[in-house]
């Protein structure tokens, strides 16, 4: 699956997730190797899971140097900003770094939702459950690895609408393409935009899935 449209979203998602991984690593005061590991795991972790599920070995992340260069350039951009932007400008921008991280994470989520779903549909169009699952795993896999390596509970398990946004985006892509006759390009763009917007709106308004609450005291929980 190497169409230009797929590659656009793949590069966009890789860049966005590499930036988010580098930002988390720097916030955890990791060294350059740690920054590279976290950025790489975030950028290609979901894609590796996707390829292994499809039986594509070695995964596409290891078949070309493109991903390495994207990760390295993303790290360089973040490091240069942190080290060489003058102090006054940096102080004005540092408090916005969380917003930058959230936007990068949302863009990566939307991009990889599209690439995972498209790849599943390309090889197995008859198995929509597989296609949706690949879209979700590709989108959240790298973030799960990033959070585990950074020593935190994976955000997909506890924070605002995240995996659910990827799930909705994957379903929209398949639905509008198969049942409504949208072109794959239009369906992909709609899926990407919906996933990113839903994720950012969920963050803004603190939307969460319902949680189980105890009504009585229990010795177990």
């Amino acid at each position: 699956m190497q169409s230009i449209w797929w590659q656009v979203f793949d590069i966009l998602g890789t860049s966005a997730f590499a930036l988010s991984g580098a930002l988390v690593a720097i916030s955890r005061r990791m060294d350059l190797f740690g920054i590279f590991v976290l950025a790489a795991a975030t950028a290609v972790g979901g894609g590796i899971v996707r390829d292994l599920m499809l039986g594509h070995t070695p995964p596409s992340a290891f078949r070309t140097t493109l991903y390495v260069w994207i990760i390295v350039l993303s790290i360089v951009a973040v490091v240069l900003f942190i080290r060489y932007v003058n102090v006054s400008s940096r102080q004005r921008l540092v408090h916005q770094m969380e917003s930058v991280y959230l936007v990068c994470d949302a863009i990566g989520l939307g991009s990889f939702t599209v690439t995972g779903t498209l790849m599943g549909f390309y090889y197995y169009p008859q198995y929509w459950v597989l296609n949706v699952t690949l879209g979700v795993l590709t989108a959240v896999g790298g973030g799960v690895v990033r959070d585990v390596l950074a020593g935190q509970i994976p955000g997909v398990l506890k924070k605002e609408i995240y995996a659910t946004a990827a799930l909705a985006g994957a379903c929209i892509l398949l639905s509008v393409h198969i049942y409504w006759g949208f072109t794959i390009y239009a369906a992909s763009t709609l899926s990407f935009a919906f996933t990113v917007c839903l994720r950012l709106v969920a963050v803004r308004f603190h939307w969460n899935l319902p949680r189980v609450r105890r009504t009585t005291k229990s010795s177990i929980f």
Side-chain angles (χ1 to χ4, degrees):
M1 179 76 182
Q2 293 296 325
S3 70
I4 294 177
W5 202 245
W6 185 88
Q7 289 179 335
V8 167
F9 281 107
D10 193 45
I11 292 173
L12 180 62
T14 302
S15 303
F17 270 165
L19 287 170
S20 75
L23 289 170
V24 170
I26 290 173
S27 72
R28 293 284 176 170
R29 298 187 178 277
M30 296 184 181
D31 59 18
L32 285 176
F33 181 74
I35 294 173
F36 177 80
V37 169
L38 211 62
T42 310
V44 301
I48 291 174
V49 173
R50 174 200 66 213
D51 290 346
L52 291 177
M53 285 190 65
L54 288 172
H56 296 170
T57 54
S60 57
F62 302 111
R63 298 180 188 177
T64 173
T65 59
L66 174 63
Y67 297 99
V68 174
W69 284 113
I70 291 174
I71 294 166
V72 169
L73 290 175
S74 299
I75 293 172
V76 169
V78 172
V79 171
L80 288 178
F81 170 78
I82 296 296
R83 287 184 61 85
Y84 296 110
V85 171
N86 65 75
V87 175
S88 60
S89 297
R90 193 166 65 212
Q91 287 177 340
R92 291 196 302 269
L93 293 173
V94 160
H95 73 281
Q96 300 177 357
M97 291 300 285
E98 182 177 358
S99 298
V100 173
Y101 162 76
L102 289 172
V103 171
C104 290
D105 193 52
I107 292 174
L109 186 76
S111 299
F112 280 160
T113 296
V114 171
T115 61
T117 307
L118 283 181
M119 182 168 283
F121 181 75
Y122 179 81
Y123 287 103
Y124 301 102
Q126 70 273 31
Y127 301 135
W128 67 269
V129 173
L130 173 64
N131 302 338
V132 170
T133 301
L134 287 174
V136 174
L137 288 179
T138 306
V140 306
V144 170
V145 175
R146 174 196 63 210
D147 293 343
V148 170
L149 291 178
Q152 28 185 57
I153 298 175
V156 67
L157 302 179
K158 64 183 180 66
K159 62 183 174 184
E160 298 93 349
I161 303 297
Y162 192 79
T164 310
L167 176 64
C171 290
I172 286 175
L173 194 161
L174 294 175
S175 298
V176 300
H177 176 59
I178 297 173
Y179 299 110
W180 293 2
F182 281 44
T183 66
I184 199 68
Y185 310 108
S188 298
T189 302
L190 179 62
S191 172
F192 169 77
F194 180 85
T195 304
V196 172
C197 290
L198 178 58
R199 172 65 188 140
L200 293 177
V201 170
V203 171
R204 174 66 179 82
F205 294 103
H206 305 289
W207 290 351
N208 292 283
L209 293 177
R211 298 180 181 179
V212 176
R213 299 183 183 277
R214 294 181 300 173
T215 56
T216 58
K217 292 184 178 180
S218 170
S219 60
I220 300 177
F221 300 105

PDB file of all heavy atoms in Angstrom, residues 140-169:
ATOM      1  N   VAL A 140      -2.891   4.386  18.224  1.00  0.00           N
ATOM      2  CA  VAL A 140      -2.595   4.495  19.656  1.00  0.00           C
ATOM      3  C   VAL A 140      -1.361   3.713  20.076  1.00  0.00           C
ATOM      4  O   VAL A 140      -0.848   3.920  21.183  1.00  0.00           O
ATOM      5  CB  VAL A 140      -3.808   4.027  20.504  1.00  0.00           C
ATOM      6  CG1 VAL A 140      -5.068   4.777  20.092  1.00  0.00           C
ATOM      7  CG2 VAL A 140      -4.024   2.523  20.408  1.00  0.00           C
ATOM      8  N   GLY A 141      -0.856   2.813  19.215  1.00  0.00           N
ATOM      9  CA  GLY A 141       0.263   1.949  19.605  1.00  0.00           C
ATOM     10  C   GLY A 141       1.501   2.717  20.011  1.00  0.00           C
ATOM     11  O   GLY A 141       2.117   2.443  21.046  1.00  0.00           O
ATOM     12  N   GLY A 142       1.890   3.697  19.200  1.00  0.00           N
ATOM     13  CA  GLY A 142       3.089   4.477  19.513  1.00  0.00           C
ATOM     14  C   GLY A 142       2.938   5.272  20.795  1.00  0.00           C
ATOM     15  O   GLY A 142       3.880   5.364  21.596  1.00  0.00           O
ATOM     16  N   GLY A 143       1.749   5.837  21.023  1.00  0.00           N
ATOM     17  CA  GLY A 143       1.524   6.602  22.242  1.00  0.00           C
ATOM     18  C   GLY A 143       1.583   5.740  23.485  1.00  0.00           C
ATOM     19  O   GLY A 143       2.068   6.170  24.536  1.00  0.00           O
ATOM     20  N   VAL A 144       1.105   4.502  23.382  1.00  0.00           N
ATOM     21  CA  VAL A 144       1.169   3.579  24.525  1.00  0.00           C
ATOM     22  C   VAL A 144       2.626   3.276  24.866  1.00  0.00           C
ATOM     23  O   VAL A 144       3.036   3.327  26.038  1.00  0.00           O
ATOM     24  CB  VAL A 144       0.405   2.281  24.210  1.00  0.00           C
ATOM     25  CG1 VAL A 144       0.683   1.219  25.283  1.00  0.00           C
ATOM     26  CG2 VAL A 144      -1.092   2.541  24.107  1.00  0.00           C
ATOM     27  N   VAL A 145       3.431   2.981  23.836  1.00  0.00           N
ATOM     28  CA  VAL A 145       4.858   2.693  24.072  1.00  0.00           C
ATOM     29  C   VAL A 145       5.544   3.916  24.667  1.00  0.00           C
ATOM     30  O   VAL A 145       6.353   3.811  25.597  1.00  0.00           O
ATOM     31  CB  VAL A 145       5.539   2.278  22.754  1.00  0.00           C
ATOM     32  CG1 VAL A 145       7.040   2.095  22.969  1.00  0.00           C
ATOM     33  CG2 VAL A 145       4.922   0.997  22.213  1.00  0.00           C
ATOM     34  N   ARG A 146       5.250   5.100  24.132  1.00  0.00           N
ATOM     35  CA  ARG A 146       5.834   6.351  24.645  1.00  0.00           C
ATOM     36  C   ARG A 146       5.549   6.533  26.123  1.00  0.00           C
ATOM     37  O   ARG A 146       6.456   6.813  26.927  1.00  0.00           O
ATOM     38  CB  ARG A 146       5.264   7.526  23.864  1.00  0.00           C
ATOM     39  CG  ARG A 146       5.674   8.907  24.391  1.00  0.00           C
ATOM     40  CD  ARG A 146       4.772   9.978  23.804  1.00  0.00           C
ATOM     41  NE  ARG A 146       3.390   9.775  24.240  1.00  0.00           N
ATOM     42  CZ  ARG A 146       2.334  10.123  23.513  1.00  0.00           C
ATOM     43  NH1 ARG A 146       2.485  10.673  22.327  1.00  0.00           N
ATOM     44  NH2 ARG A 146       1.107   9.913  23.983  1.00  0.00           N
ATOM     45  N   ASP A 147       4.288   6.357  26.520  1.00  0.00           N
ATOM     46  CA  ASP A 147       3.914   6.581  27.914  1.00  0.00           C
ATOM     47  C   ASP A 147       4.546   5.554  28.840  1.00  0.00           C
ATOM     48  O   ASP A 147       4.977   5.886  29.951  1.00  0.00           O
ATOM     49  CB  ASP A 147       2.388   6.553  28.054  1.00  0.00           C
ATOM     50  CG  ASP A 147       1.721   7.728  27.350  1.00  0.00           C
ATOM     51  OD1 ASP A 147       2.423   8.705  27.040  1.00  0.00           O
ATOM     52  OD2 ASP A 147       0.496   7.661  27.115  1.00  0.00           O
ATOM     53  N   VAL A 148       4.612   4.289  28.388  1.00  0.00           N
ATOM     54  CA  VAL A 148       5.224   3.254  29.217  1.00  0.00           C
ATOM     55  C   VAL A 148       6.708   3.551  29.424  1.00  0.00           C
ATOM     56  O   VAL A 148       7.224   3.473  30.547  1.00  0.00           O
ATOM     57  CB  VAL A 148       5.041   1.866  28.576  1.00  0.00           C
ATOM     58  CG1 VAL A 148       5.892   0.825  29.302  1.00  0.00           C
ATOM     59  CG2 VAL A 148       3.571   1.450  28.613  1.00  0.00           C
ATOM     60  N   LEU A 149       7.407   3.911  28.358  1.00  0.00           N
ATOM     61  CA  LEU A 149       8.835   4.220  28.475  1.00  0.00           C
ATOM     62  C   LEU A 149       9.082   5.471  29.314  1.00  0.00           C
ATOM     63  O   LEU A 149      10.132   5.602  29.950  1.00  0.00           O
ATOM     64  CB  LEU A 149       9.445   4.412  27.080  1.00  0.00           C
ATOM     65  CG  LEU A 149       9.546   3.162  26.205  1.00  0.00           C
ATOM     66  CD1 LEU A 149      10.112   3.509  24.830  1.00  0.00           C
ATOM     67  CD2 LEU A 149      10.432   2.099  26.877  1.00  0.00           C
ATOM     68  N   ALA A 150       8.110   6.387  29.318  1.00  0.00           N
ATOM     69  CA  ALA A 150       8.251   7.614  30.105  1.00  0.00           C
ATOM     70  C   ALA A 150       7.802   7.425  31.550  1.00  0.00           C
ATOM     71  O   ALA A 150       7.843   8.361  32.351  1.00  0.00           O
ATOM     72  CB  ALA A 150       7.452   8.742  29.461  1.00  0.00           C
ATOM     73  N   GLY A 151       7.367   6.210  31.886  1.00  0.00           N
ATOM     74  CA  GLY A 151       6.998   5.912  33.262  1.00  0.00           C
ATOM     75  C   GLY A 151       5.647   6.448  33.667  1.00  0.00           C
ATOM     76  O   GLY A 151       5.449   6.808  34.830  1.00  0.00           O
ATOM     77  N   GLN A 152       4.699   6.480  32.742  1.00  0.00           N
ATOM     78  CA  GLN A 152       3.357   6.939  33.085  1.00  0.00           C
ATOM     79  C   GLN A 152       2.313   5.962  32.565  1.00  0.00           C
ATOM     80  O   GLN A 152       2.582   5.180  31.657  1.00  0.00           O
ATOM     81  CB  GLN A 152       3.092   8.352  32.544  1.00  0.00           C
ATOM     82  CG  GLN A 152       3.851   8.718  31.315  1.00  0.00           C
ATOM     83  CD  GLN A 152       3.675  10.140  30.868  1.00  0.00           C
ATOM     84  OE1 GLN A 152       3.948  11.094  31.632  1.00  0.00           O
ATOM     85  NE2 GLN A 152       3.256  10.330  29.645  1.00  0.00           N
ATOM     86  N   ILE A 153       1.131   6.019  33.176  1.00  0.00           N
ATOM     87  CA  ILE A 153       0.034   5.172  32.717  1.00  0.00           C
ATOM     88  C   ILE A 153      -0.334   5.612  31.308  1.00  0.00           C
ATOM     89  O   ILE A 153      -0.518   6.806  31.060  1.00  0.00           O
ATOM     90  CB  ILE A 153      -1.184   5.297  33.641  1.00  0.00           C
ATOM     91  CG1 ILE A 153      -0.839   4.830  35.054  1.00  0.00           C
ATOM     92  CG2 ILE A 153      -2.358   4.483  33.094  1.00  0.00           C
ATOM     93  CD1 ILE A 153      -1.946   5.041  36.057  1.00  0.00           C
ATOM     94  N   PRO A 154      -0.423   4.681  30.337  1.00  0.00           N
ATOM     95  CA  PRO A 154      -0.781   5.076  28.972  1.00  0.00           C
ATOM     96  C   PRO A 154      -2.049   5.922  28.934  1.00  0.00           C
ATOM     97  O   PRO A 154      -3.061   5.571  29.539  1.00  0.00           O
ATOM     98  CB  PRO A 154      -0.979   3.728  28.265  1.00  0.00           C
ATOM     99  CG  PRO A 154      -0.082   2.799  29.011  1.00  0.00           C
ATOM    100  CD  PRO A 154      -0.154   3.234  30.443  1.00  0.00           C
ATOM    101  N   GLY A 155      -1.953   7.052  28.257  1.00  0.00           N
ATOM    102  CA  GLY A 155      -3.073   7.974  28.211  1.00  0.00           C
ATOM    103  C   GLY A 155      -4.324   7.356  27.634  1.00  0.00           C
ATOM    104  O   GLY A 155      -5.440   7.746  27.973  1.00  0.00           O
ATOM    105  N   VAL A 156      -4.145   6.372  26.746  1.00  0.00           N
ATOM    106  CA  VAL A 156      -5.301   5.735  26.115  1.00  0.00           C
ATOM    107  C   VAL A 156      -6.194   5.055  27.140  1.00  0.00           C
ATOM    108  O   VAL A 156      -7.386   4.830  26.896  1.00  0.00           O
ATOM    109  CB  VAL A 156      -4.822   4.704  25.065  1.00  0.00           C
ATOM    110  CG1 VAL A 156      -4.111   3.542  25.727  1.00  0.00           C
ATOM    111  CG2 VAL A 156      -5.979   4.223  24.208  1.00  0.00           C
ATOM    112  N   LEU A 157      -5.652   4.746  28.329  1.00  0.00           N
ATOM    113  CA  LEU A 157      -6.413   4.042  29.348  1.00  0.00           C
ATOM    114  C   LEU A 157      -7.125   4.967  30.320  1.00  0.00           C
ATOM    115  O   LEU A 157      -7.955   4.513  31.104  1.00  0.00           O
ATOM    116  CB  LEU A 157      -5.485   3.115  30.147  1.00  0.00           C
ATOM    117  CG  LEU A 157      -4.730   2.052  29.345  1.00  0.00           C
ATOM    118  CD1 LEU A 157      -3.836   1.234  30.269  1.00  0.00           C
ATOM    119  CD2 LEU A 157      -5.714   1.136  28.618  1.00  0.00           C
ATOM    120  N   LYS A 158      -6.783   6.285  30.292  1.00  0.00           N
ATOM    121  CA  LYS A 158      -7.329   7.114  31.361  1.00  0.00           C
ATOM    122  C   LYS A 158      -7.720   8.525  30.959  1.00  0.00           C
ATOM    123  O   LYS A 158      -8.501   9.149  31.653  1.00  0.00           O
ATOM    124  CB  LYS A 158      -6.298   7.220  32.504  1.00  0.00           C
ATOM    125  CG  LYS A 158      -5.008   7.919  32.125  1.00  0.00           C
ATOM    126  CD  LYS A 158      -4.016   7.922  33.272  1.00  0.00           C
ATOM    127  CE  LYS A 158      -2.716   8.628  32.888  1.00  0.00           C
ATOM    128  NZ  LYS A 158      -2.903  10.060  32.644  1.00  0.00           N
ATOM    129  N   LYS A 159      -7.216   9.062  29.844  1.00  0.00           N
ATOM    130  CA  LYS A 159      -7.508  10.471  29.602  1.00  0.00           C
ATOM    131  C   LYS A 159      -8.693  10.662  28.669  1.00  0.00           C
ATOM    132  O   LYS A 159      -9.352   9.710  28.264  1.00  0.00           O
ATOM    133  CB  LYS A 159      -6.275  11.187  29.050  1.00  0.00           C
ATOM    134  CG  LYS A 159      -5.758  10.702  27.724  1.00  0.00           C
ATOM    135  CD  LYS A 159      -4.491  11.488  27.381  1.00  0.00           C
ATOM    136  CE  LYS A 159      -3.808  10.967  26.141  1.00  0.00           C
ATOM    137  NZ  LYS A 159      -2.551  11.645  25.858  1.00  0.00           N
ATOM    138  N   GLU A 160      -8.943  11.934  28.335  1.00  0.00           N
ATOM    139  CA  GLU A 160     -10.098  12.269  27.516  1.00  0.00           C
ATOM    140  C   GLU A 160     -10.151  11.412  26.253  1.00  0.00           C
ATOM    141  O   GLU A 160      -9.175  10.795  25.879  1.00  0.00           O
ATOM    142  CB  GLU A 160     -10.040  13.752  27.131  1.00  0.00           C
ATOM    143  CG  GLU A 160     -10.088  14.719  28.306  1.00  0.00           C
ATOM    144  CD  GLU A 160      -8.704  15.099  28.790  1.00  0.00           C
ATOM    145  OE1 GLU A 160      -7.721  14.461  28.349  1.00  0.00           O
ATOM    146  OE2 GLU A 160      -8.615  16.022  29.622  1.00  0.00           O
ATOM    147  N   ILE A 161     -11.310  11.435  25.606  1.00  0.00           N
ATOM    148  CA  ILE A 161     -11.544  10.636  24.400  1.00  0.00           C
ATOM    149  C   ILE A 161     -10.272  10.544  23.562  1.00  0.00           C
ATOM    150  O   ILE A 161      -9.759  11.555  23.083  1.00  0.00           O
ATOM    151  CB  ILE A 161     -12.653  11.274  23.549  1.00  0.00           C
ATOM    152  CG1 ILE A 161     -13.944  11.425  24.362  1.00  0.00           C
ATOM    153  CG2 ILE A 161     -12.895  10.448  22.301  1.00  0.00           C
ATOM    154  CD1 ILE A 161     -14.554  10.130  24.815  1.00  0.00           C
ATOM    155  N   TYR A 162      -9.739   9.332  23.383  1.00  0.00           N
ATOM    156  CA  TYR A 162      -8.478   9.153  22.645  1.00  0.00           C
ATOM    157  C   TYR A 162      -8.627   8.007  21.654  1.00  0.00           C
ATOM    158  O   TYR A 162      -8.822   8.215  20.459  1.00  0.00           O
ATOM    159  CB  TYR A 162      -7.331   8.900  23.625  1.00  0.00           C
ATOM    160  CG  TYR A 162      -5.962   8.993  22.986  1.00  0.00           C
ATOM    161  CD1 TYR A 162      -5.395  10.231  22.736  1.00  0.00           C
ATOM    162  CD2 TYR A 162      -5.245   7.857  22.647  1.00  0.00           C
ATOM    163  CE1 TYR A 162      -4.136  10.336  22.158  1.00  0.00           C
ATOM    164  CE2 TYR A 162      -3.990   7.955  22.071  1.00  0.00           C
ATOM    165  CZ  TYR A 162      -3.439   9.190  21.825  1.00  0.00           C
ATOM    166  OH  TYR A 162      -2.198   9.285  21.238  1.00  0.00           O
ATOM    167  N   ALA A 163      -8.573   6.774  22.163  1.00  0.00           N
ATOM    168  CA  ALA A 163      -8.763   5.625  21.278  1.00  0.00           C
ATOM    169  C   ALA A 163     -10.153   5.664  20.651  1.00  0.00           C
ATOM    170  O   ALA A 163     -10.345   5.228  19.512  1.00  0.00           O
ATOM    171  CB  ALA A 163      -8.552   4.321  22.042  1.00  0.00           C
ATOM    172  N   THR A 164     -11.116   6.193  21.391  1.00  0.00           N
ATOM    173  CA  THR A 164     -12.475   6.289  20.862  1.00  0.00           C
ATOM    174  C   THR A 164     -12.521   7.208  19.643  1.00  0.00           C
ATOM    175  O   THR A 164     -13.291   6.972  18.707  1.00  0.00           O
ATOM    176  CB  THR A 164     -13.434   6.820  21.942  1.00  0.00           C
ATOM    177  OG1 THR A 164     -13.254   6.048  23.134  1.00  0.00           O
ATOM    178  CG2 THR A 164     -14.877   6.718  21.485  1.00  0.00           C
ATOM    179  N   ALA A 165     -11.695   8.262  19.655  1.00  0.00           N
ATOM    180  CA  ALA A 165     -11.633   9.160  18.499  1.00  0.00           C
ATOM    181  C   ALA A 165     -11.094   8.421  17.281  1.00  0.00           C
ATOM    182  O   ALA A 165     -11.601   8.578  16.160  1.00  0.00           O
ATOM    183  CB  ALA A 165     -10.751  10.363  18.823  1.00  0.00           C
ATOM    184  N   ALA A 166     -10.060   7.581  17.493  1.00  0.00           N
ATOM    185  CA  ALA A 166      -9.517   6.782  16.393  1.00  0.00           C
ATOM    186  C   ALA A 166     -10.539   5.772  15.893  1.00  0.00           C
ATOM    187  O   ALA A 166     -10.680   5.557  14.687  1.00  0.00           O
ATOM    188  CB  ALA A 166      -8.242   6.066  16.854  1.00  0.00           C
ATOM    189  N   LEU A 167     -11.266   5.154  16.818  1.00  0.00           N
ATOM    190  CA  LEU A 167     -12.301   4.193  16.451  1.00  0.00           C
ATOM    191  C   LEU A 167     -13.384   4.853  15.596  1.00  0.00           C
ATOM    192  O   LEU A 167     -13.792   4.326  14.552  1.00  0.00           O
ATOM    193  CB  LEU A 167     -12.919   3.600  17.716  1.00  0.00           C
ATOM    194  CG  LEU A 167     -14.097   2.644  17.538  1.00  0.00           C
ATOM    195  CD1 LEU A 167     -13.670   1.393  16.781  1.00  0.00           C
ATOM    196  CD2 LEU A 167     -14.690   2.271  18.900  1.00  0.00           C
ATOM    197  N   ALA A 168     -13.820   6.035  16.021  1.00  0.00           N
ATOM    198  CA  ALA A 168     -14.846   6.760  15.262  1.00  0.00           C
ATOM    199  C   ALA A 168     -14.321   7.173  13.891  1.00  0.00           C
ATOM    200  O   ALA A 168     -15.023   7.063  12.878  1.00  0.00           O
ATOM    201  CB  ALA A 168     -15.306   7.982  16.053  1.00  0.00           C
ATOM    202  N   GLY A 169     -13.063   7.642  13.852  1.00  0.00           N
ATOM    203  CA  GLY A 169     -12.485   8.050  12.575  1.00  0.00           C
ATOM    204  C   GLY A 169     -12.369   6.902  11.590  1.00  0.00           C
ATOM    205  O   GLY A 169     -12.650   7.061  10.396  1.00  0.00           O
TER     206      GLY A 169
END
